[in-house]
Amino acid sequence: MAQSFGLIGLAVMGENLALNIERNGYSMAVYNRTGSVTEEFMRTRAAGKNFVASYTLPEFVQSLERPRKILIMVKAGAPVDAVIEQLKPLLEPGDMIIDGGNSLYEDTERRVKDLESTGLRFIGMGVSGGEEGALNGPSLMPGGTEAAYREIEPIVTKIAAQVDDGPCVTYIGPGGSGHYVKMVHNGIEYGDMQLIAEAYDLLKNAGGLTNEQLHAAFAEWNTTDELNSFLIEITADIFQKIDPDTGKHLVDFILDAAGQKGTGRWTVMSALELGVSIPTIIAAVNARIISSIKEERVAASKELTGPSGLYEGDQQTFINMVRDALYCSKICSYAQGMALLAKASQEFNYNLNLGEMARIWKGGCIIRAGFLNKIKKAYDENPALPNLLLAPEFKQTILDRQAAWREVIMTAAKVGIPVPAFSASLDYFDSYRRATLPQNLTQAQRDYFGAHTYQRIDKAGTFHTEWAPEAPALASVS
């Protein structure tokens, strides 16, 4: 009997998604390029379940009921193209390939056009939630033709995380929209993680908190409407973990050099190309980059000096101020991400529903948070909202808490603790709220050295000025 769904790529995410799909009532066919991986999966996690293993692609394709539905979970880039090229001659019109990896949206755009033109279906689907989400319910972001989505809708709505207002999946839009939304999701994730790291640095090195106190602070924050989230929850857990080798807190033995897989950098590149300001996300990417030059920083620390010290006031007051600064910065980071999605939707004709994007991130994904209910509400009330900072609740939150936000950043500067994402968020807020910025001078400079012209505030038109002063007359020599 033919299997109802196929999956290629049995790394941890692939295995967990396969188990999730099978648990929800779909018979599964699986294939992995390395046969021993397939054998191990069938012997262990798939034992006794409705799985059929294949050890060649033709055998795998033949094991599936028609029209075939095949989820690819392999490394983004050339490996995805390689699998697609191997599958194409084996498939028939109406069969579907779904790419569930972190593919660049431009690659997905190309694959949708290529495969749909041959009669095959193609979906580029962002999958967020890590190993646990893949197994128990991720947030899914599928893009491609709507007809293709409708064919897999019964499956994806079952395997996605379930929240109070439905499954954490929706039809994102055409082309590479699903992977674009996942890319920006990851950019926001970078921002969230960097902001939390800066809050930790401030509390530890300016506030003097121990790991036990850090656990208590983050655990308390996770009970609030503003900061309740997966990332805050796991941060609180991290401060409790004891290293079995030393008997001390593990977090203090982890090298301070962060890795990255590219989606944050892609988000920054896209924002620059589209002309959207995302300084918090840029700061988060930069922070990972500078963290990676550990040896160089250690050497520099012996040559370059600066201030140090603790916050001089009440410790609990400082904890509360850092909490407020974190929340205000987080609002700015999400405002930037949503502004980028809005511009991309317009530029690429994705027709994104921003409230629905916030809704499907409420469960399953890494940035899941109670705060996303407020974002959904803001866009439900005003789908044309130009920026989250203008939503009544977020506007009032920042107006109420900005004094603490500014005090925290001043404290960081005073004691020499870098807070690039906190600072970038405040800069974004201050820039966005000002009717006048100093770029009038920038335009004057551009016109001076390059005749780039400028516009005026008092009359219409485009202008150019000869800025160089006339050479002074030479004094006569008697």
Side-chain angles (χ1 to χ4, degrees), residues 224-236:
T224 65
D225 287 341
E226 295 90 347
L227 293 177
N228 166 251
S229 66
F230 173 70
L231 285 170
I232 294 290
E233 177 187 345
I234 67 169
T235 301

Side-chain angles (χ1 to χ4, degrees), residues 190-442:
Y190 272 58
D192 253 0
M193 294 175 72
Q194 178 60 25
L195 290 169
I196 291 169
E198 291 175 18
Y200 153 65
D201 198 2
L202 285 162
L203 293 177
K204 178 181 179 180
N205 294 307
L209 272 68
T210 64
N211 285 321
E212 289 82 1
Q213 290 172 312
L214 286 164
H215 163 74
F218 279 88
E220 193 276 325
W221 290 357
N222 195 46
T223 66
T224 65
D225 287 341
E226 295 90 347
L227 293 177
N228 166 251
S229 66
F230 173 70
L231 285 170
I232 294 290
E233 177 187 345
I234 67 169
T235 301
D237 289 346
I238 285 167
F239 292 122
Q240 284 191 306
K241 189 67 176 178
I242 300 300
D243 173 28
D245 294 339
T246 62
K248 298 178 181 179
H249 289 94
L250 178 59
V251 67
D252 296 328
F253 291 87
I254 297 175
L255 184 71
D256 55 319
Q260 53 181 316
K261 291 187 176 179
T263 46
R265 176 170 51 83
W266 292 348
T267 305
V268 169
M269 291 167 63
S270 180
L272 293 173
E273 289 166 357
L274 293 175
V276 178
S277 177
I278 58 165
T280 307
I281 296 170
I282 291 173
V285 174
N286 283 336
R288 293 198 189 191
I289 292 169
I290 201 164
S291 80
S292 70
I293 56 169
K294 173 68 174 179
E295 291 183 7
E296 192 173 335
R297 288 188 291 111
V298 170
S301 71
K302 298 169 184 174
E303 304 277 344
L304 305 174
T305 59
S308 62
L310 295 173
Y311 176 72
E312 295 175 355
D314 175 70
Q315 189 181 68
Q316 187 58 50
T317 299
F318 187 62
I319 292 171
N320 293 342
M321 289 197 303
V322 172
R323 178 200 62 208
D324 288 348
L326 175 59
Y327 187 47
C328 290
S329 298
K330 181 185 178 84
I331 292 170
C332 288
S333 183
Y334 278 73
Q336 294 160 35
M338 300 311 276
L340 178 54
L341 286 179
K343 184 61 179 288
S345 181
Q346 179 184 32
E347 190 76 14
F348 305 140
N349 297 313
Y350 286 160
N351 194 31
L352 299 179
N353 180 329
L354 297 183
E356 188 70 352
M357 298 307 99
R359 188 194 69 77
I360 67 169
W361 292 342
K362 285 168 53 177
C365 72
I366 303 302
I367 64 171
R368 61 185 183 266
F371 162 78
L372 288 159
N373 281 311
K374 299 181 180 183
I375 297 180
K376 181 180 184 301
K377 181 171 180 277
Y379 284 111
D380 285 349
E381 291 177 351
N382 181 6
L385 184 69
N387 192 291
L388 272 181
L389 295 178
L390 299 175
E393 179 171 333
F394 295 132
K395 176 180 75 174
Q396 196 57 49
T397 292
I398 289 186
L399 294 179
D400 291 345
R401 304 185 190 206
Q402 64 174 304
W405 192 11
R406 296 179 191 281
E407 180 69 23
V408 164
I409 291 173
M410 285 192 291
T411 299
K414 184 177 178 182
V415 300
I417 292 176
V419 284
F422 272 32
S423 300
S425 294
L426 181 58
D427 289 344
Y428 181 77
F429 172 72
D430 280 339
S431 296
Y432 191 69
R433 72 179 182 82
R434 286 189 63 188
T436 304
L437 291 170
Q439 273 61 50
N440 55 320
L441 177 59
T442 304

